[in-house]
Amino acid sequence: NAVFFDLYGTLAGFNPSRYQFQSTACAEFGIRVTPEGVLAGYALADAYMAEENAIRPLRERDQDSRNQFFAEYERLVLRGDRVEVTGDEALKIWRRVREVPYQLARFDDVLPALNLLKSQGLTLALLSNMNRDGDELAESLGLTPCLDFSMTSKEVGAEKPHPPIFMAALDKAGVGPEEVIHVGDQPISDVEGARGVGI
């Protein structure tokens, strides 16, 4: 039996927080955001990202298309605080957001939870839509000792919710879909994607 984990929002998040770097960037444009508004806005923006990735992955888009995507993404983030901006303004804010130094940081309760699952003989794997090498990603977060393998959309050439990344993980784990639980935070990428292959 196996447990597959999403990464962002499930095992790790940004440090500083999304609120902190949105707040820093937006202040330069005279926009004030709140922690609650940023949380609500990112819920909208992340749902938009999952929908768009299901249609055409960001890694396959040209620069103009990516700019349009991130302008809309930032507009949705700001909508959480009932702030409306144009696409051009949103892109400028997003570019400033990207300049704020940040890193992925593992959540505090992750290692105890993974070690508990590992002690029960379960196969544990990381499945991420991040455009990075899975082993390098796991290593950077100190997850390697707890995981049997890590897999990303960059390596497989397909994002969640599409079946190939889930099927590749099932194959590598040597289990059938009925023997796996997938843990993630996105209804489309994680829930619909996993259920779509019988997990």
Side-chain angles (χ1 to χ4, degrees), residues 8 13-24 42 97 99-105:
Y8 182 78
F14 289 130
N15 183 24
S17 72
R18 286 170 147 186
Y19 165 69
Q20 290 169 311
F21 56 74
Q22 281 289 336
S23 171
T24 299
Y42 268 110
V97 165
E99 291 170 2
V100 177
Y102 71 91
Q103 62 185 5
L104 269 177

PDB file of all heavy atoms in Angstrom, residues 8 13-24 42 97 99-105:
ATOM      1  N   TYR A   8       3.231  21.564  -2.753  1.00  0.00           N
ATOM      2  CA  TYR A   8       2.874  22.905  -2.299  1.00  0.00           C
ATOM      3  C   TYR A   8       1.477  22.915  -1.663  1.00  0.00           C
ATOM      4  O   TYR A   8       0.520  22.429  -2.244  1.00  0.00           O
ATOM      5  CB  TYR A   8       2.935  23.955  -3.422  1.00  0.00           C
ATOM      6  CG  TYR A   8       2.602  25.307  -2.848  1.00  0.00           C
ATOM      7  CD1 TYR A   8       3.551  26.003  -2.129  1.00  0.00           C
ATOM      8  CD2 TYR A   8       1.308  25.798  -2.897  1.00  0.00           C
ATOM      9  CE1 TYR A   8       3.232  27.179  -1.492  1.00  0.00           C
ATOM     10  CE2 TYR A   8       0.975  26.977  -2.268  1.00  0.00           C
ATOM     11  CZ  TYR A   8       1.947  27.664  -1.565  1.00  0.00           C
ATOM     12  OH  TYR A   8       1.608  28.823  -0.923  1.00  0.00           O
ATOM     13  N   GLY A  13       5.179  25.171   2.194  1.00  0.00           N
ATOM     14  CA  GLY A  13       4.608  26.454   1.788  1.00  0.00           C
ATOM     15  C   GLY A  13       5.722  27.465   1.624  1.00  0.00           C
ATOM     16  O   GLY A  13       6.899  27.146   1.787  1.00  0.00           O
ATOM     17  N   PHE A  14       5.367  28.695   1.306  1.00  0.00           N
ATOM     18  CA  PHE A  14       6.372  29.720   1.094  1.00  0.00           C
ATOM     19  C   PHE A  14       6.797  30.377   2.396  1.00  0.00           C
ATOM     20  O   PHE A  14       6.003  30.582   3.306  1.00  0.00           O
ATOM     21  CB  PHE A  14       5.847  30.809   0.142  1.00  0.00           C
ATOM     22  CG  PHE A  14       5.728  30.350  -1.273  1.00  0.00           C
ATOM     23  CD1 PHE A  14       4.550  30.547  -1.981  1.00  0.00           C
ATOM     24  CD2 PHE A  14       6.778  29.737  -1.929  1.00  0.00           C
ATOM     25  CE1 PHE A  14       4.425  30.138  -3.290  1.00  0.00           C
ATOM     26  CE2 PHE A  14       6.670  29.319  -3.242  1.00  0.00           C
ATOM     27  CZ  PHE A  14       5.490  29.520  -3.928  1.00  0.00           C
ATOM     28  N   ASN A  15       8.081  30.729   2.468  1.00  0.00           N
ATOM     29  CA  ASN A  15       8.624  31.510   3.570  1.00  0.00           C
ATOM     30  C   ASN A  15       9.470  32.626   2.968  1.00  0.00           C
ATOM     31  O   ASN A  15      10.446  32.334   2.303  1.00  0.00           O
ATOM     32  CB  ASN A  15       9.468  30.615   4.464  1.00  0.00           C
ATOM     33  CG  ASN A  15       9.997  31.370   5.667  1.00  0.00           C
ATOM     34  OD1 ASN A  15       9.435  32.371   6.077  1.00  0.00           O
ATOM     35  ND2 ASN A  15      11.102  30.900   6.218  1.00  0.00           N
ATOM     36  N   PRO A  16       9.116  33.918   3.140  1.00  0.00           N
ATOM     37  CA  PRO A  16       7.985  34.403   3.901  1.00  0.00           C
ATOM     38  C   PRO A  16       6.659  33.963   3.279  1.00  0.00           C
ATOM     39  O   PRO A  16       6.630  33.484   2.154  1.00  0.00           O
ATOM     40  CB  PRO A  16       8.138  35.935   3.847  1.00  0.00           C
ATOM     41  CG  PRO A  16       8.918  36.190   2.614  1.00  0.00           C
ATOM     42  CD  PRO A  16       9.831  35.017   2.457  1.00  0.00           C
ATOM     43  N   SER A  17       5.586  34.181   4.014  1.00  0.00           N
ATOM     44  CA  SER A  17       4.269  33.734   3.572  1.00  0.00           C
ATOM     45  C   SER A  17       3.820  34.504   2.340  1.00  0.00           C
ATOM     46  O   SER A  17       4.331  35.586   2.037  1.00  0.00           O
ATOM     47  CB  SER A  17       3.245  33.926   4.682  1.00  0.00           C
ATOM     48  OG  SER A  17       2.973  35.318   4.850  1.00  0.00           O
ATOM     49  N   ARG A  18       2.829  33.962   1.659  1.00  0.00           N
ATOM     50  CA  ARG A  18       2.252  34.644   0.504  1.00  0.00           C
ATOM     51  C   ARG A  18       1.732  36.030   0.894  1.00  0.00           C
ATOM     52  O   ARG A  18       1.861  36.984   0.144  1.00  0.00           O
ATOM     53  CB  ARG A  18       1.114  33.806  -0.086  1.00  0.00           C
ATOM     54  CG  ARG A  18       1.598  32.586  -0.848  1.00  0.00           C
ATOM     55  CD  ARG A  18       0.439  31.690  -1.190  1.00  0.00           C
ATOM     56  NE  ARG A  18       0.657  31.024  -2.463  1.00  0.00           N
ATOM     57  CZ  ARG A  18      -0.246  30.274  -3.055  1.00  0.00           C
ATOM     58  NH1 ARG A  18      -1.435  30.094  -2.511  1.00  0.00           N
ATOM     59  NH2 ARG A  18       0.009  29.699  -4.206  1.00  0.00           N
ATOM     60  N   TYR A  19       1.143  36.118   2.077  1.00  0.00           N
ATOM     61  CA  TYR A  19       0.655  37.428   2.527  1.00  0.00           C
ATOM     62  C   TYR A  19       1.812  38.414   2.636  1.00  0.00           C
ATOM     63  O   TYR A  19       1.708  39.562   2.198  1.00  0.00           O
ATOM     64  CB  TYR A  19      -0.059  37.333   3.873  1.00  0.00           C
ATOM     65  CG  TYR A  19      -0.236  38.695   4.510  1.00  0.00           C
ATOM     66  CD1 TYR A  19      -1.115  39.629   3.957  1.00  0.00           C
ATOM     67  CD2 TYR A  19       0.533  39.070   5.605  1.00  0.00           C
ATOM     68  CE1 TYR A  19      -1.250  40.899   4.501  1.00  0.00           C
ATOM     69  CE2 TYR A  19       0.402  40.337   6.159  1.00  0.00           C
ATOM     70  CZ  TYR A  19      -0.480  41.247   5.596  1.00  0.00           C
ATOM     71  OH  TYR A  19      -0.596  42.505   6.122  1.00  0.00           O
ATOM     72  N   GLN A  20       2.918  37.972   3.208  1.00  0.00           N
ATOM     73  CA  GLN A  20       4.047  38.878   3.400  1.00  0.00           C
ATOM     74  C   GLN A  20       4.610  39.384   2.074  1.00  0.00           C
ATOM     75  O   GLN A  20       4.863  40.570   1.917  1.00  0.00           O
ATOM     76  CB  GLN A  20       5.138  38.198   4.237  1.00  0.00           C
ATOM     77  CG  GLN A  20       4.728  38.016   5.689  1.00  0.00           C
ATOM     78  CD  GLN A  20       5.671  37.111   6.446  1.00  0.00           C
ATOM     79  OE1 GLN A  20       6.013  36.019   6.006  1.00  0.00           O
ATOM     80  NE2 GLN A  20       6.093  37.566   7.625  1.00  0.00           N
ATOM     81  N   PHE A  21       4.778  38.491   1.088  1.00  0.00           N
ATOM     82  CA  PHE A  21       5.354  39.031  -0.149  1.00  0.00           C
ATOM     83  C   PHE A  21       4.339  39.768  -1.000  1.00  0.00           C
ATOM     84  O   PHE A  21       4.684  40.714  -1.703  1.00  0.00           O
ATOM     85  CB  PHE A  21       6.233  38.053  -0.933  1.00  0.00           C
ATOM     86  CG  PHE A  21       5.677  36.742  -1.361  1.00  0.00           C
ATOM     87  CD1 PHE A  21       4.783  36.635  -2.400  1.00  0.00           C
ATOM     88  CD2 PHE A  21       6.129  35.573  -0.771  1.00  0.00           C
ATOM     89  CE1 PHE A  21       4.324  35.407  -2.834  1.00  0.00           C
ATOM     90  CE2 PHE A  21       5.681  34.334  -1.200  1.00  0.00           C
ATOM     91  CZ  PHE A  21       4.769  34.261  -2.235  1.00  0.00           C
ATOM     92  N   GLN A  22       3.057  39.424  -0.906  1.00  0.00           N
ATOM     93  CA  GLN A  22       2.031  40.228  -1.586  1.00  0.00           C
ATOM     94  C   GLN A  22       1.946  41.609  -0.952  1.00  0.00           C
ATOM     95  O   GLN A  22       1.863  42.624  -1.644  1.00  0.00           O
ATOM     96  CB  GLN A  22       0.666  39.545  -1.524  1.00  0.00           C
ATOM     97  CG  GLN A  22       0.466  38.426  -2.515  1.00  0.00           C
ATOM     98  CD  GLN A  22       0.340  38.900  -3.955  1.00  0.00           C
ATOM     99  OE1 GLN A  22      -0.035  40.040  -4.229  1.00  0.00           O
ATOM    100  NE2 GLN A  22       0.644  38.020  -4.877  1.00  0.00           N
ATOM    101  N   SER A  23       1.967  41.646   0.374  1.00  0.00           N
ATOM    102  CA  SER A  23       1.883  42.901   1.097  1.00  0.00           C
ATOM    103  C   SER A  23       3.050  43.820   0.733  1.00  0.00           C
ATOM    104  O   SER A  23       2.866  45.013   0.479  1.00  0.00           O
ATOM    105  CB  SER A  23       1.870  42.590   2.599  1.00  0.00           C
ATOM    106  OG  SER A  23       1.988  43.745   3.352  1.00  0.00           O
ATOM    107  N   THR A  24       4.255  43.263   0.684  1.00  0.00           N
ATOM    108  CA  THR A  24       5.450  44.034   0.334  1.00  0.00           C
ATOM    109  C   THR A  24       5.340  44.610  -1.075  1.00  0.00           C
ATOM    110  O   THR A  24       5.597  45.798  -1.299  1.00  0.00           O
ATOM    111  CB  THR A  24       6.709  43.140   0.430  1.00  0.00           C
ATOM    112  OG1 THR A  24       6.834  42.680   1.779  1.00  0.00           O
ATOM    113  CG2 THR A  24       7.966  43.882   0.024  1.00  0.00           C
ATOM    114  N   TYR A  42      -5.769  33.857  -3.082  1.00  0.00           N
ATOM    115  CA  TYR A  42      -4.956  32.732  -3.569  1.00  0.00           C
ATOM    116  C   TYR A  42      -5.802  31.487  -3.794  1.00  0.00           C
ATOM    117  O   TYR A  42      -5.481  30.668  -4.657  1.00  0.00           O
ATOM    118  CB  TYR A  42      -3.788  32.438  -2.627  1.00  0.00           C
ATOM    119  CG  TYR A  42      -2.530  33.188  -3.016  1.00  0.00           C
ATOM    120  CD1 TYR A  42      -2.049  34.225  -2.240  1.00  0.00           C
ATOM    121  CD2 TYR A  42      -1.821  32.866  -4.178  1.00  0.00           C
ATOM    122  CE1 TYR A  42      -0.899  34.927  -2.589  1.00  0.00           C
ATOM    123  CE2 TYR A  42      -0.683  33.554  -4.535  1.00  0.00           C
ATOM    124  CZ  TYR A  42      -0.220  34.584  -3.739  1.00  0.00           C
ATOM    125  OH  TYR A  42       0.915  35.268  -4.097  1.00  0.00           O
ATOM    126  N   VAL A  97       6.149  41.068  -7.097  1.00  0.00           N
ATOM    127  CA  VAL A  97       6.006  39.930  -6.179  1.00  0.00           C
ATOM    128  C   VAL A  97       7.148  38.944  -6.406  1.00  0.00           C
ATOM    129  O   VAL A  97       7.757  38.444  -5.458  1.00  0.00           O
ATOM    130  CB  VAL A  97       4.635  39.230  -6.373  1.00  0.00           C
ATOM    131  CG1 VAL A  97       4.611  37.865  -5.705  1.00  0.00           C
ATOM    132  CG2 VAL A  97       3.502  40.099  -5.833  1.00  0.00           C
ATOM    133  N   GLU A  99      10.069  39.456  -7.335  1.00  0.00           N
ATOM    134  CA  GLU A  99      11.373  39.976  -6.902  1.00  0.00           C
ATOM    135  C   GLU A  99      11.583  39.846  -5.401  1.00  0.00           C
ATOM    136  O   GLU A  99      12.702  39.999  -4.918  1.00  0.00           O
ATOM    137  CB  GLU A  99      11.509  41.453  -7.304  1.00  0.00           C
ATOM    138  CG  GLU A  99      11.623  41.665  -8.805  1.00  0.00           C
ATOM    139  CD  GLU A  99      11.516  43.129  -9.189  1.00  0.00           C
ATOM    140  OE1 GLU A  99      11.397  43.992  -8.293  1.00  0.00           O
ATOM    141  OE2 GLU A  99      11.543  43.409 -10.405  1.00  0.00           O
ATOM    142  N   VAL A 100      10.519  39.593  -4.649  1.00  0.00           N
ATOM    143  CA  VAL A 100      10.643  39.446  -3.196  1.00  0.00           C
ATOM    144  C   VAL A 100      11.285  38.086  -2.920  1.00  0.00           C
ATOM    145  O   VAL A 100      10.785  37.053  -3.374  1.00  0.00           O
ATOM    146  CB  VAL A 100       9.254  39.537  -2.507  1.00  0.00           C
ATOM    147  CG1 VAL A 100       9.396  39.312  -0.999  1.00  0.00           C
ATOM    148  CG2 VAL A 100       8.593  40.875  -2.795  1.00  0.00           C
ATOM    149  N   PRO A 101      12.410  38.052  -2.201  1.00  0.00           N
ATOM    150  CA  PRO A 101      13.077  36.766  -1.937  1.00  0.00           C
ATOM    151  C   PRO A 101      12.183  35.842  -1.115  1.00  0.00           C
ATOM    152  O   PRO A 101      11.575  36.268  -0.135  1.00  0.00           O
ATOM    153  CB  PRO A 101      14.324  37.162  -1.127  1.00  0.00           C
ATOM    154  CG  PRO A 101      14.481  38.628  -1.298  1.00  0.00           C
ATOM    155  CD  PRO A 101      13.117  39.174  -1.600  1.00  0.00           C
ATOM    156  N   TYR A 102      12.112  34.601  -1.532  1.00  0.00           N
ATOM    157  CA  TYR A 102      11.332  33.616  -0.786  1.00  0.00           C
ATOM    158  C   TYR A 102      11.902  32.234  -1.059  1.00  0.00           C
ATOM    159  O   TYR A 102      12.697  32.042  -1.983  1.00  0.00           O
ATOM    160  CB  TYR A 102       9.850  33.655  -1.194  1.00  0.00           C
ATOM    161  CG  TYR A 102       9.585  33.109  -2.580  1.00  0.00           C
ATOM    162  CD1 TYR A 102       9.274  31.765  -2.775  1.00  0.00           C
ATOM    163  CD2 TYR A 102       9.690  33.928  -3.696  1.00  0.00           C
ATOM    164  CE1 TYR A 102       9.058  31.258  -4.038  1.00  0.00           C
ATOM    165  CE2 TYR A 102       9.480  33.420  -4.968  1.00  0.00           C
ATOM    166  CZ  TYR A 102       9.166  32.095  -5.130  1.00  0.00           C
ATOM    167  OH  TYR A 102       8.973  31.593  -6.384  1.00  0.00           O
ATOM    168  N   GLN A 103      11.480  31.296  -0.264  1.00  0.00           N
ATOM    169  CA  GLN A 103      11.865  29.905  -0.490  1.00  0.00           C
ATOM    170  C   GLN A 103      10.727  29.003  -0.040  1.00  0.00           C
ATOM    171  O   GLN A 103       9.856  29.422   0.715  1.00  0.00           O
ATOM    172  CB  GLN A 103      13.141  29.568   0.266  1.00  0.00           C
ATOM    173  CG  GLN A 103      13.005  29.706   1.771  1.00  0.00           C
ATOM    174  CD  GLN A 103      14.317  29.472   2.488  1.00  0.00           C
ATOM    175  OE1 GLN A 103      15.349  29.293   1.872  1.00  0.00           O
ATOM    176  NE2 GLN A 103      14.269  29.445   3.808  1.00  0.00           N
ATOM    177  N   LEU A 104      10.752  27.781  -0.517  1.00  0.00           N
ATOM    178  CA  LEU A 104       9.800  26.788  -0.029  1.00  0.00           C
ATOM    179  C   LEU A 104      10.291  26.302   1.322  1.00  0.00           C
ATOM    180  O   LEU A 104      11.491  26.090   1.513  1.00  0.00           O
ATOM    181  CB  LEU A 104       9.732  25.599  -0.990  1.00  0.00           C
ATOM    182  CG  LEU A 104       8.702  25.649  -2.097  1.00  0.00           C
ATOM    183  CD1 LEU A 104       8.845  24.419  -2.982  1.00  0.00           C
ATOM    184  CD2 LEU A 104       7.293  25.730  -1.555  1.00  0.00           C
ATOM    185  N   ALA A 105       9.379  26.125   2.248  1.00  0.00           N
ATOM    186  CA  ALA A 105       9.740  25.626   3.570  1.00  0.00           C
ATOM    187  C   ALA A 105       8.778  24.512   3.965  1.00  0.00           C
ATOM    188  O   ALA A 105       7.572  24.634   3.788  1.00  0.00           O
ATOM    189  CB  ALA A 105       9.683  26.768   4.592  1.00  0.00           C
TER     190      ALA A 105
END
